[in-house]
Amino acid sequence: MKVQLNTDANIEGNEALSQQVEAIINNTLDRFSQHITRVEVHLSDENSSEKFGANDKRCLIEVRLANHQPIAVSDHGQILQQSISGAAEKMKKLLDTTIGKLRAR
């Protein structure tokens, strides 16, 4: 399962952040890895670095399933870790539902 990290201009996409994101994604979505070809994680700070606000860090996770359309979820948090973990949990629930429906066909 390949994990690709994208950040906006307000978030520094360094190696440490990349490793942290990959660890969260792998730990949360590992049981679906045989169905997933790629995971794209998009991190953004919606208020920019000059302003502060509650839940302004956004994480959008897009999962590409083999031979199917991509699915996506997003979550907001006060810190990046919170938004990444929240989005990963939402994706886990969505994958449970989506893969369950595909197996029922």
Side-chain angles (χ1 to χ4, degrees):
M1 178 170 57
K2 181 180 179 193
V3 178
Q4 180 181 338
L5 176 63
N6 302 294
T7 60
D8 72 1
N10 300 310
I11 297 175
E12 182 182 342
N14 57 35
E15 186 63 30
L17 179 60
S18 182
Q19 288 175 354
Q20 181 183 23
V21 167
E22 195 165 334
I24 292 170
I25 296 298
N26 285 329
N27 287 338
T28 308
L29 305 181
D30 184 53
R31 68 186 177 118
F32 304 106
S33 63
Q34 70 273 14
H35 301 284
I36 298 172
T37 58
R38 185 174 70 201
V39 178
E40 290 189 32
V41 179
H42 301 270
L43 301 177
S44 58
D45 183 345
E46 294 185 335
N47 288 340
S48 80
S49 60
E50 296 174 7
K51 301 175 188 173
F52 298 98
N55 299 327
D56 66 335
K57 307 296 187 275
R58 179 174 184 250
C59 176
L60 179 127
I61 298 177
E62 181 180 294
V63 168
R64 299 187 183 258
L65 298 171
N67 303 315
H68 295 285
Q69 292 293 320
I71 57 175
V73 297
S74 67
D75 197 48
H76 289 81
Q78 239 177 335
I79 59 173
L80 283 175
Q81 170 102 16
Q82 186 180 34
S83 64
I84 297 164
S85 296
E89 286 299 320
K90 285 181 180 180
M91 181 55 75
K92 181 169 81 171
K93 290 177 186 174
L94 182 58
L95 284 169
D96 265 333
T97 303
T98 303
I99 292 172
K101 287 180 181 178
L102 292 173
R103 287 184 181 154
R105 290 184 181 176

